[in-house]
Every structure is written in structure tokens, then in C-alpha cells.
Amino acid sequence: MQRTVPRAYEPIAFNRVLAVILGGGAGTRLFPLTKDRAKPAVPLAGKYRIVDIPISNCLNSGLKRVFLLTQFNSASLHRHISQSYKFDHFTGGFVEILAAEQTYGDTSWYQGTADAVRKNLLHFMNNEFDYMVILSATSSIAWICALSSPNTFTAGRR
């Protein structure tokens, strides 16, 4: 008797997964460490930053396409990312920063984590993907979402 594997357990092609790391807010609980930098940019063990943990987890898991969404006090975080994560032309990978921006259609900043993802959908849709992994830059909680349309998140494939 042949067993069939349920669709939910099909192997995922990691080159078809986008990782989105949410850069966090003001980091008031870590003040004064966050006086001049975003919480993900707070130094950790010398040359590392807090944000290096989820980025390293992504890269070591085979997720080579990573977006980092930032908003608050993020200049040092941008500098650290641009100096630390460089890929050759053959890997097809990247760690790209998407800073909060005001546009003619929307002059507000991010109003929370879901809003940060929503406001960057256009950038995400410029990439081919089946799944999107959304991670926090400052905690180990992660969840997997797949984008079924520009306005709806559902579990499963896009």
C-alpha cells in the first residue's frame, strides 16, 4: 500500500521563500542602549548586533533573500547591514533594507508590524516567491505566511 504525503508536508524550495525581518520600534526598555540607535542595532558580543541573530538564522537555513524593515533611529543599523552582508553575483541572495518612507499616496509612518509589511508589499511583489517568512529582529518568535493576493494573507502557497 502506497502512502501519500499530505500537501502540507511537501518540501519547500528555499529559493522560493522571502524572509522579512521587522526592525522594531523605539526600544524604550533598553534605554540608554537605544538612545542613539535602533534596538536591532544594539551591540551584542563585540562586533555583532541583535539583528545578526535572525539574519544568520535565515542565511544558515538556506533563506538567501532577506528584507529588513526599519523605521526608528536606524542609521547605525543601515551602516552595519551594508558593511556586513555582501553577496556575490552568483548566489542570487541579498539582505536589503527597506526604510519607512512617505509617498504622495501615504504620508504616515508605520503604524505597527502588520502595517510595515503591508506598506512594503510592492517591494516584495517584485520578487518571485511562494512563501514569506516574517521574523522579528529582536525576538525569536517567527511565523510563516504565504501571500495569496496583495491584500490577503493565508496559510499555504501564494
Side-chain angles (χ1 to χ4, degrees):
M1 180 173 158
Q2 184 179 3
R3 291 183 64 189
T4 59
V5 178
R7 183 169 168 79
Y9 297 105
E10 289 180 7
I12 295 173
F14 288 116
N15 64 338
R16 302 284 300 165
V17 178
L18 280 184
V20 177
I21 300 176
L22 305 172
T28 55
R29 290 175 295 195
L30 289 179
F31 195 84
L33 296 174
T34 55
K35 178 181 174 230
D36 297 321
R37 60 175 43 104
K39 185 166 49 168
V42 169
L44 177 72
K47 65 180 181 175
Y48 301 105
R49 303 286 186 263
I50 291 174
V51 73
D52 290 329
I53 295 169
I55 292 174
S56 175
N57 288 343
C58 288
L59 297 178
N60 289 317
S61 296
L63 303 177
K64 305 286 188 211
R65 300 183 305 156
V66 179
F67 286 103
L68 175 60
L69 308 185
T70 66
Q71 176 172 290
F72 187 81
N73 211 4
S74 58
S76 68
L77 179 60
H78 288 218
R79 184 173 46 256
H80 172 71
I81 296 300
S82 67
Q83 293 173 353
S84 301
Y85 298 99
K86 298 178 181 171
F87 294 86
D88 60 38
H89 293 289
F90 302 105
T91 62
F94 59 82
V95 175
E96 184 174 325
I97 296 168
L98 295 176
E101 59 188 3
Q102 293 181 329
T103 64
Y104 291 112
D106 188 358
T107 59
S108 66
W109 299 109
Y110 298 149
Q111 301 300 310
T113 55
D115 189 49
V117 173
R118 180 186 64 83
K119 286 185 177 180
N120 285 287
L121 284 176
L122 180 65
H123 300 291
F124 305 147
M125 299 305 285
N126 287 331
N127 294 272
E128 292 185 19
F129 67 97
D130 293 325
Y131 294 94
M132 178 185 292
V133 177
I134 302 174
L135 305 164
S136 169
T138 57
S139 73
S140 60
I141 298 171
W143 58 96
I144 297 178
C145 295
L147 194 56
S148 62
S149 75
N151 297 319
T152 307
F153 284 97
T154 61
R157 288 188 177 263
R158 176 163 103 153

Short mmCIF file of all heavy atoms in Angstrom, two decimals, residues 20-23 69-71 98 100 109-121 123-124:
data_model
loop_
_atom_site.label_atom_id
_atom_site.label_comp_id
_atom_site.label_asym_id
_atom_site.label_seq_id
_atom_site.Cartn_x
_atom_site.Cartn_y
_atom_site.Cartn_z
N VAL A 20 11.37 38.26 5.71
CA VAL A 20 11.16 39.66 6.06
C VAL A 20 11.43 39.80 7.55
O VAL A 20 10.79 39.12 8.36
CB VAL A 20 9.71 40.12 5.73
CG1 VAL A 20 9.49 41.55 6.17
CG2 VAL A 20 9.42 39.97 4.25
N ILE A 21 12.37 40.65 7.90
CA ILE A 21 12.72 40.87 9.31
C ILE A 21 12.24 42.25 9.70
O ILE A 21 12.59 43.24 9.07
CB ILE A 21 14.24 40.72 9.54
CG1 ILE A 21 14.68 39.31 9.15
CG2 ILE A 21 14.59 41.03 10.99
CD1 ILE A 21 16.18 39.08 9.23
N LEU A 22 11.42 42.31 10.74
CA LEU A 22 10.85 43.56 11.22
C LEU A 22 11.84 44.22 12.17
O LEU A 22 12.20 43.63 13.19
CB LEU A 22 9.51 43.32 11.90
CG LEU A 22 8.49 42.57 11.03
CD1 LEU A 22 7.26 42.21 11.85
CD2 LEU A 22 8.11 43.40 9.83
N GLY A 23 12.27 45.43 11.84
CA GLY A 23 13.34 46.10 12.56
C GLY A 23 13.00 46.63 13.94
O GLY A 23 13.89 47.08 14.65
N LEU A 69 13.01 45.55 7.44
CA LEU A 69 12.18 46.75 7.50
C LEU A 69 12.60 47.58 8.70
O LEU A 69 12.64 47.08 9.82
CB LEU A 69 10.70 46.38 7.63
CG LEU A 69 10.14 45.39 6.61
CD1 LEU A 69 8.64 45.22 6.79
CD2 LEU A 69 10.47 45.81 5.20
N THR A 70 12.93 48.85 8.47
CA THR A 70 13.39 49.72 9.56
C THR A 70 12.60 51.01 9.57
O THR A 70 12.01 51.41 8.57
CB THR A 70 14.89 50.07 9.41
OG1 THR A 70 15.06 50.86 8.23
CG2 THR A 70 15.74 48.83 9.32
N GLN A 71 12.59 51.67 10.74
CA GLN A 71 11.93 52.96 10.85
C GLN A 71 12.62 53.88 11.84
O GLN A 71 12.99 54.99 11.51
CB GLN A 71 10.46 52.78 11.25
CG GLN A 71 9.73 54.09 11.48
CD GLN A 71 8.24 53.90 11.68
OE1 GLN A 71 7.55 53.57 10.76
NE2 GLN A 71 7.77 54.11 12.91
N LEU A 98 14.66 48.06 3.78
CA LEU A 98 13.52 48.85 3.33
C LEU A 98 13.15 49.78 4.47
O LEU A 98 12.54 49.37 5.45
CB LEU A 98 12.34 47.95 2.95
CG LEU A 98 12.54 47.02 1.77
CD1 LEU A 98 11.34 46.11 1.58
CD2 LEU A 98 12.81 47.81 0.51
N ALA A 100 11.26 52.97 6.30
CA ALA A 100 9.94 53.60 6.23
C ALA A 100 10.04 54.82 5.33
O ALA A 100 11.02 55.56 5.36
CB ALA A 100 9.47 54.01 7.62
N TRP A 109 3.90 57.15 8.78
CA TRP A 109 4.94 56.16 9.05
C TRP A 109 4.26 54.84 9.37
O TRP A 109 3.03 54.74 9.41
CB TRP A 109 5.83 56.62 10.20
CG TRP A 109 6.54 57.91 9.89
CD1 TRP A 109 6.29 59.13 10.44
CD2 TRP A 109 7.60 58.11 8.95
NE1 TRP A 109 7.13 60.08 9.90
CE2 TRP A 109 7.94 59.48 8.98
CE3 TRP A 109 8.29 57.28 8.08
CZ2 TRP A 109 8.95 60.01 8.19
CZ3 TRP A 109 9.28 57.81 7.29
CH2 TRP A 109 9.61 59.17 7.35
N TYR A 110 5.04 53.79 9.64
CA TYR A 110 4.47 52.50 10.00
C TYR A 110 3.63 52.66 11.27
O TYR A 110 4.05 53.28 12.24
CB TYR A 110 5.54 51.46 10.28
CG TYR A 110 6.46 51.14 9.10
CD1 TYR A 110 7.77 50.76 9.32
CD2 TYR A 110 6.01 51.19 7.79
CE1 TYR A 110 8.61 50.44 8.29
CE2 TYR A 110 6.85 50.88 6.74
CZ TYR A 110 8.14 50.50 6.99
OH TYR A 110 8.98 50.19 5.95
N GLN A 111 2.44 52.05 11.25
CA GLN A 111 1.56 52.09 12.41
C GLN A 111 1.58 50.77 13.17
O GLN A 111 0.69 50.49 13.95
CB GLN A 111 0.13 52.40 11.95
CG GLN A 111 0.00 53.73 11.23
CD GLN A 111 0.43 54.90 12.09
OE1 GLN A 111 -0.01 55.04 13.23
NE2 GLN A 111 1.32 55.73 11.56
N GLY A 112 2.59 49.98 12.95
CA GLY A 112 2.74 48.68 13.61
C GLY A 112 3.39 47.70 12.66
O GLY A 112 3.72 48.03 11.52
N THR A 113 3.56 46.46 13.11
CA THR A 113 4.29 45.49 12.31
C THR A 113 3.52 45.06 11.07
O THR A 113 4.10 44.94 9.99
CB THR A 113 4.66 44.26 13.16
OG1 THR A 113 3.47 43.73 13.75
CG2 THR A 113 5.64 44.63 14.25
N ALA A 114 2.22 44.81 11.20
CA ALA A 114 1.43 44.41 10.03
C ALA A 114 1.40 45.53 9.00
O ALA A 114 1.45 45.29 7.79
CB ALA A 114 0.02 44.03 10.46
N ASP A 115 1.34 46.77 9.46
CA ASP A 115 1.33 47.91 8.56
C ASP A 115 2.67 48.03 7.82
O ASP A 115 2.70 48.38 6.64
CB ASP A 115 1.03 49.20 9.34
CG ASP A 115 0.79 50.39 8.44
OD1 ASP A 115 0.00 50.25 7.47
OD2 ASP A 115 1.38 51.44 8.68
N ALA A 116 3.75 47.72 8.49
CA ALA A 116 5.07 47.76 7.85
C ALA A 116 5.13 46.75 6.71
O ALA A 116 5.64 47.06 5.62
CB ALA A 116 6.17 47.45 8.88
N VAL A 117 4.59 45.56 6.93
CA VAL A 117 4.56 44.55 5.87
C VAL A 117 3.65 45.01 4.74
O VAL A 117 4.01 44.95 3.56
CB VAL A 117 4.12 43.17 6.43
CG1 VAL A 117 3.91 42.17 5.31
CG2 VAL A 117 5.13 42.66 7.44
N ARG A 118 2.47 45.51 5.08
CA ARG A 118 1.50 45.97 4.07
C ARG A 118 2.09 47.07 3.19
O ARG A 118 1.96 47.05 1.97
CB ARG A 118 0.23 46.48 4.75
CG ARG A 118 -0.84 46.97 3.77
CD ARG A 118 -2.02 47.61 4.50
NE ARG A 118 -1.66 48.81 5.23
CZ ARG A 118 -1.55 50.02 4.69
NH1 ARG A 118 -1.75 50.20 3.42
NH2 ARG A 118 -1.24 51.06 5.45
N LYS A 119 2.77 48.03 3.80
CA LYS A 119 3.31 49.17 3.04
C LYS A 119 4.47 48.78 2.14
O LYS A 119 4.84 49.54 1.26
CB LYS A 119 3.73 50.29 3.99
CG LYS A 119 2.53 51.02 4.57
CD LYS A 119 2.94 52.19 5.40
CE LYS A 119 1.71 52.94 5.89
NZ LYS A 119 2.06 54.09 6.70
N ASN A 120 5.04 47.61 2.35
CA ASN A 120 6.16 47.17 1.52
C ASN A 120 5.79 46.05 0.56
O ASN A 120 6.67 45.48 -0.08
CB ASN A 120 7.33 46.75 2.41
CG ASN A 120 8.04 47.93 3.00
OD1 ASN A 120 8.75 48.65 2.30
ND2 ASN A 120 7.82 48.18 4.29
N LEU A 121 4.50 45.76 0.43
CA LEU A 121 4.07 44.70 -0.47
C LEU A 121 4.56 44.91 -1.90
O LEU A 121 4.95 43.95 -2.57
CB LEU A 121 2.54 44.57 -0.46
CG LEU A 121 1.94 43.90 0.76
CD1 LEU A 121 0.42 43.93 0.68
CD2 LEU A 121 2.43 42.47 0.89
N HIS A 123 7.33 46.18 -2.91
CA HIS A 123 8.73 45.73 -3.00
C HIS A 123 8.82 44.20 -2.99
O HIS A 123 9.60 43.61 -3.72
CB HIS A 123 9.56 46.30 -1.86
CG HIS A 123 9.61 47.79 -1.83
ND1 HIS A 123 10.26 48.53 -2.79
CD2 HIS A 123 9.06 48.68 -0.97
CE1 HIS A 123 10.13 49.82 -2.52
NE2 HIS A 123 9.40 49.92 -1.42
N PHE A 124 8.00 43.55 -2.16
CA PHE A 124 8.01 42.09 -2.08
C PHE A 124 7.52 41.47 -3.39
O PHE A 124 8.06 40.48 -3.85
CB PHE A 124 7.15 41.58 -0.93
CG PHE A 124 7.50 42.15 0.42
CD1 PHE A 124 6.52 42.36 1.36
CD2 PHE A 124 8.81 42.49 0.75
CE1 PHE A 124 6.83 42.88 2.61
CE2 PHE A 124 9.13 43.02 1.99
CZ PHE A 124 8.13 43.21 2.92
#
